[in-house]
Short mmCIF file of all heavy atoms in Angstrom, two decimals:
data_model
loop_
_atom_site.label_atom_id
_atom_site.label_comp_id
_atom_site.label_asym_id
_atom_site.label_seq_id
_atom_site.Cartn_x
_atom_site.Cartn_y
_atom_site.Cartn_z
N LYS A 78 -38.75 6.12 11.85
CA LYS A 78 -37.70 6.59 10.97
C LYS A 78 -37.26 5.56 10.00
O LYS A 78 -37.07 5.75 8.81
CB LYS A 78 -36.51 7.08 11.78
CG LYS A 78 -35.43 7.67 10.97
CD LYS A 78 -35.69 8.95 10.44
CE LYS A 78 -34.45 9.55 9.77
NZ LYS A 78 -34.71 10.15 8.51
N SER A 79 -37.20 4.30 10.47
CA SER A 79 -36.75 3.15 9.65
C SER A 79 -37.79 2.83 8.55
O SER A 79 -37.48 2.67 7.45
CB SER A 79 -36.58 1.92 10.56
OG SER A 79 -36.21 0.81 9.69
N VAL A 80 -39.12 3.04 9.05
CA VAL A 80 -40.17 2.77 8.01
C VAL A 80 -40.10 3.83 6.93
O VAL A 80 -40.28 3.54 5.74
CB VAL A 80 -41.48 2.70 8.73
CG1 VAL A 80 -42.68 2.88 7.83
CG2 VAL A 80 -41.66 1.49 9.54
N LEU A 81 -40.05 5.08 7.36
CA LEU A 81 -39.94 6.11 6.30
C LEU A 81 -38.72 6.07 5.40
O LEU A 81 -38.80 6.33 4.20
CB LEU A 81 -40.00 7.48 7.04
CG LEU A 81 -41.32 7.79 7.72
CD1 LEU A 81 -41.25 9.17 8.40
CD2 LEU A 81 -42.50 7.82 6.72
N ASP A 82 -37.59 5.72 5.92
CA ASP A 82 -36.37 5.52 5.15
C ASP A 82 -36.62 4.35 4.20
O ASP A 82 -36.18 4.49 3.02
CB ASP A 82 -35.19 5.14 6.09
CG ASP A 82 -34.69 6.45 6.84
OD1 ASP A 82 -35.11 7.58 6.52
OD2 ASP A 82 -33.89 6.27 7.81
N SER A 83 -37.28 3.34 4.60
CA SER A 83 -37.61 2.26 3.64
C SER A 83 -38.47 2.57 2.55
O SER A 83 -38.30 2.27 1.38
CB SER A 83 -38.14 0.97 4.48
OG SER A 83 -37.12 0.45 5.34
N ALA A 84 -39.43 3.42 2.96
CA ALA A 84 -40.45 3.93 1.95
C ALA A 84 -39.73 4.74 0.91
O ALA A 84 -39.91 4.73 -0.20
CB ALA A 84 -41.53 4.65 2.65
N GLN A 85 -38.72 5.62 1.46
CA GLN A 85 -37.98 6.50 0.50
C GLN A 85 -37.10 5.65 -0.49
O GLN A 85 -36.99 5.95 -1.64
CB GLN A 85 -37.07 7.42 1.29
CG GLN A 85 -36.39 8.36 0.43
CD GLN A 85 -37.31 9.30 -0.38
OE1 GLN A 85 -38.22 9.93 0.13
NE2 GLN A 85 -37.05 9.37 -1.75
N ASP A 86 -36.53 4.55 0.12
CA ASP A 86 -35.78 3.57 -0.67
C ASP A 86 -36.59 3.04 -1.83
O ASP A 86 -36.13 2.90 -2.96
CB ASP A 86 -35.10 2.49 0.13
CG ASP A 86 -34.08 2.99 1.12
OD1 ASP A 86 -33.55 4.07 0.88
OD2 ASP A 86 -33.73 2.21 2.05
N VAL A 87 -37.90 2.66 -1.54
CA VAL A 87 -38.77 2.18 -2.61
C VAL A 87 -38.96 3.19 -3.68
O VAL A 87 -38.95 2.85 -4.83
CB VAL A 87 -40.05 1.66 -1.91
CG1 VAL A 87 -41.06 1.41 -2.96
CG2 VAL A 87 -39.89 0.50 -1.03
N LEU A 88 -39.23 4.43 -3.24
CA LEU A 88 -39.40 5.52 -4.22
C LEU A 88 -38.15 5.74 -5.02
O LEU A 88 -38.24 5.95 -6.32
CB LEU A 88 -39.79 6.80 -3.53
CG LEU A 88 -41.21 6.78 -2.84
CD1 LEU A 88 -41.46 8.13 -2.02
CD2 LEU A 88 -42.31 6.64 -3.86
N ASP A 89 -37.06 5.64 -4.44
CA ASP A 89 -35.75 5.85 -5.26
C ASP A 89 -35.57 4.75 -6.19
O ASP A 89 -35.13 4.98 -7.34
CB ASP A 89 -34.55 5.87 -4.23
CG ASP A 89 -34.56 7.02 -3.36
OD1 ASP A 89 -35.27 8.11 -3.63
OD2 ASP A 89 -33.90 7.12 -2.30
N ILE A 90 -35.87 3.51 -5.80
CA ILE A 90 -35.74 2.38 -6.73
C ILE A 90 -36.68 2.58 -8.00
O ILE A 90 -36.28 2.42 -9.11
CB ILE A 90 -36.10 0.96 -6.06
CG1 ILE A 90 -35.02 0.72 -5.09
CG2 ILE A 90 -36.26 -0.07 -7.01
CD1 ILE A 90 -35.36 -0.45 -4.13
N ALA A 91 -37.88 3.01 -7.67
CA ALA A 91 -38.89 3.27 -8.73
C ALA A 91 -38.36 4.37 -9.67
O ALA A 91 -38.47 4.33 -10.87
CB ALA A 91 -40.24 3.59 -8.23
N ASP A 92 -37.82 5.46 -9.09
CA ASP A 92 -37.32 6.57 -9.82
C ASP A 92 -36.09 6.06 -10.81
O ASP A 92 -36.00 6.50 -11.92
CB ASP A 92 -36.76 7.64 -8.96
CG ASP A 92 -37.93 8.42 -8.32
OD1 ASP A 92 -39.08 8.26 -8.81
OD2 ASP A 92 -37.63 9.17 -7.33
N GLU A 93 -35.25 5.14 -10.28
CA GLU A 93 -34.13 4.73 -10.99
C GLU A 93 -34.70 3.85 -12.21
O GLU A 93 -34.09 3.93 -13.28
CB GLU A 93 -33.25 3.84 -10.16
CG GLU A 93 -32.36 4.58 -9.21
CD GLU A 93 -31.57 3.71 -8.28
OE1 GLU A 93 -31.52 2.49 -8.51
OE2 GLU A 93 -31.07 4.24 -7.30
N ALA A 94 -35.68 3.13 -12.01
CA ALA A 94 -36.19 2.21 -13.02
C ALA A 94 -36.79 3.13 -14.17
O ALA A 94 -36.64 2.67 -15.31
CB ALA A 94 -37.34 1.33 -12.48
N HIS A 95 -37.40 4.19 -13.74
CA HIS A 95 -37.88 5.09 -14.82
C HIS A 95 -36.90 5.94 -15.51
O HIS A 95 -37.10 6.37 -16.69
CB HIS A 95 -39.02 5.96 -14.28
CG HIS A 95 -40.24 5.27 -13.89
ND1 HIS A 95 -40.86 4.38 -14.67
CD2 HIS A 95 -41.10 5.38 -12.88
CE1 HIS A 95 -41.91 3.95 -14.09
NE2 HIS A 95 -42.11 4.54 -12.94
N GLY A 96 -35.85 6.05 -14.86
CA GLY A 96 -34.72 6.99 -15.43
C GLY A 96 -33.83 6.28 -16.47
O GLY A 96 -33.13 6.91 -17.13
N GLU A 97 -33.85 4.95 -16.51
CA GLU A 97 -33.09 4.21 -17.43
C GLU A 97 -33.85 3.84 -18.66
O GLU A 97 -34.99 3.34 -18.53
CB GLU A 97 -32.45 2.97 -16.79
CG GLU A 97 -31.54 3.29 -15.56
CD GLU A 97 -31.10 1.95 -14.85
OE1 GLU A 97 -31.20 0.89 -15.38
OE2 GLU A 97 -30.58 2.11 -13.71
N PRO A 98 -33.24 4.00 -19.88
CA PRO A 98 -33.91 3.53 -21.04
C PRO A 98 -33.99 2.00 -21.10
O PRO A 98 -33.15 1.29 -20.60
CB PRO A 98 -33.06 4.09 -22.21
CG PRO A 98 -31.96 4.95 -21.56
CD PRO A 98 -32.07 4.61 -20.09
N HIS A 99 -35.09 1.52 -21.67
CA HIS A 99 -35.41 0.12 -21.82
C HIS A 99 -35.60 -0.23 -23.32
O HIS A 99 -36.16 0.61 -24.03
CB HIS A 99 -36.65 -0.32 -20.93
CG HIS A 99 -36.40 -0.21 -19.51
ND1 HIS A 99 -36.71 0.88 -18.82
CD2 HIS A 99 -35.85 -1.10 -18.63
CE1 HIS A 99 -36.42 0.67 -17.51
NE2 HIS A 99 -35.86 -0.48 -17.44
#
Side-chain angles (χ1 to χ4, degrees):
K78 180 72 172 139
S79 175
V80 166
L81 291 179
D82 288 344
S83 294
Q85 185 60 54
D86 291 344
V87 169
L88 293 173
D89 292 344
I90 290 167
D92 288 345
E93 287 175 14
H95 288 319
E97 296 177 13
H99 292 91

